Every structure is written in structure tokens, then in C-alpha cells.
Amino acid sequence: MPGYYTADQIRAAEEATGDLLTGGVLMARAARGVAQVVLAELRDRCGGVYSRRVGLVVGAGNNGGDALYAGATLARRGVAVQAVLLAPDAAHPGGLAALRAAGGTVVPALDPGCDLVVDAVVGLGG
């Protein structure tokens, strides 16, 4: 039977990485992983990625930051990315800047024609 880790155990493991956590390396890895999964899903479901539409539902904190950075990667690959920020004042600033710089947009509600939606509302803090 597979084991599990508590939120406190994961936080401790992240903190033990030192510069990998504080320097953004872990977030970059998480964002790259999210983007890879989304790209694969778009290829499987839609036959390609260019001009497909992806929505991000973004909460506060690092989980939202992961999604925003992933959205930036997707936008650079030709995906139309839109994000709904559930806590605009608490959105990850670096991730939000990266998304906007890559051509992603912040919207009040997702376009119902999105090909795929990424849930980045609750992370480890949930």
C-alpha cells in the first residue's frame, strides 16, 4: 500500500532544500511539470497545442504561482492562456508577471470554450 506525507512533512522537505526553494528552482520544476502534462493532454484531446485555449483558476500562494509560470510556458508554445485570479491581491507576483509577459491574460471569468482548465486553487496549505 502506498504511503503518504503530511503537509508538515512536505513543508519540512521543501525547507530542507534551502536555495532550491527560496531561489525558485522547485517552483520552476513544478511549473514545467504542469506545462508538460497540459501539452500532452492537448495533443491527445485536440491533436495539437497551437491556438488551443487553456484556462487557469488561480488561488493565492505558491500553487497559484506554479500554474501562472506553467501558463507562461504554454503561452510561449502558442496556447491562448487566460487566468482567473481568485485572490488578485495575493497572486504570485513573479508568476503573474511571467504570464502577462508571455501573452497570457487575466480575465474575470473563463471562456466557456476552453479546451482544458487547470485547477490551481488549493495547494499544500489546503
Side-chain angles (χ1 to χ4, degrees):
M1 180 163 153
Y4 67 93
Y5 297 97
T6 66
D8 288 338
Q9 289 172 315
I10 293 170
R11 280 189 193 95
E14 286 179 341
E15 289 173 15
T17 67
D19 288 344
L20 294 177
L21 176 63
T22 59
V25 173
L26 293 181
M27 185 170 287
R29 288 179 183 170
R32 185 172 40 254
V34 170
Q36 288 172 345
V37 169
V38 170
L39 291 168
E41 282 294 317
L42 289 173
R43 285 185 199 102
D44 288 348
R45 293 177 184 208
C46 305
V49 300
Y50 188 78
S51 78
R52 295 299 172 193
R53 296 169 292 176
V54 170
L56 309 174
V57 182
V58 180
N62 290 340
N63 192 53
D66 296 341
L68 291 167
Y69 279 116
T73 298
L74 296 169
R76 288 191 300 271
R77 295 289 302 269
V79 176
V81 180
Q82 52 183 241
V84 171
L85 306 178
L86 300 182
D89 294 336
H92 190 277
L96 186 55
L99 177 72
R100 286 181 167 144
T105 59
V106 174
V107 296
L110 294 180
D111 178 349
C114 285
D115 295 298
L116 197 133
V117 175
V118 175
D119 175 348
V121 176
V122 179
L124 184 58

